[in-house]
């Protein structure tokens, strides 16, 4: 459970807090620092949108689902409480 639950949750929280810090710094500071932070935020949003569009477009073109269909068996979904070795 540490590698599959705790570490991803802590990592997600740390990434979220870092993003909040970048937004705070980008909109509260003045001058070139604010402009540079806002430019970085804009590029990050653009990169996310392009990557998400590629993921969806590529999945549609290949005829593959983005998420694992419910009819396919997978050990992480079928036995979530069972530990891996």
């Amino acid at each position: 459970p540490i590698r599959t639950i705790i570490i991803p949750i802590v990592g997600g929280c740390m990434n979220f807090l870092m993003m909040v810090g970048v937004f705070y710094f980008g909109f509260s500071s003045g001058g070139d620092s604010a402009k540079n932070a806002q430019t970085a935020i804009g590029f990050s949003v653009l990169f996310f949108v392009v990557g998400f569009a590629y993921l969806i477009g590529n999945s549609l073109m290949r005829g593959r689902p983005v998420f694992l269909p419910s009819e396919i068996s997978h050990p992480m979904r079928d036995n979530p409480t069972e530990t891996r070795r």
Side-chain angles (χ1 to χ4, degrees):
I2 290 176
R3 287 192 300 179
T4 58
I5 296 173
I6 295 172
I7 291 176
I9 289 173
V10 170
C13 290
M14 298 290 284
N15 281 332
F16 179 74
L17 290 173
M18 184 171 57
M19 182 184 69
V20 168
V22 168
F23 272 91
Y24 175 77
F25 181 69
F27 292 106
S28 67
S29 63
D32 287 338
S33 296
K35 187 173 118 179
N36 291 339
Q38 291 168 4
T39 302
I41 291 168
F43 275 109
S44 296
V45 169
L46 177 68
F47 186 77
F48 174 78
V49 169
V50 169
F52 191 73
Y54 175 78
L55 173 69
I56 298 299
N58 192 26
S59 297
L60 288 174
M61 288 180 64
R62 291 177 183 236
R64 295 182 181 169
V66 175
F67 299 106
L68 191 62
S70 60
E71 65 267 5
I72 295 178
S73 176
H74 191 274
M76 291 291 287
R77 182 175 51 207
D78 297 338
N79 302 318
T81 58
E82 199 173 294
T83 58
R84 296 187 314 181
R85 295 179 193 180

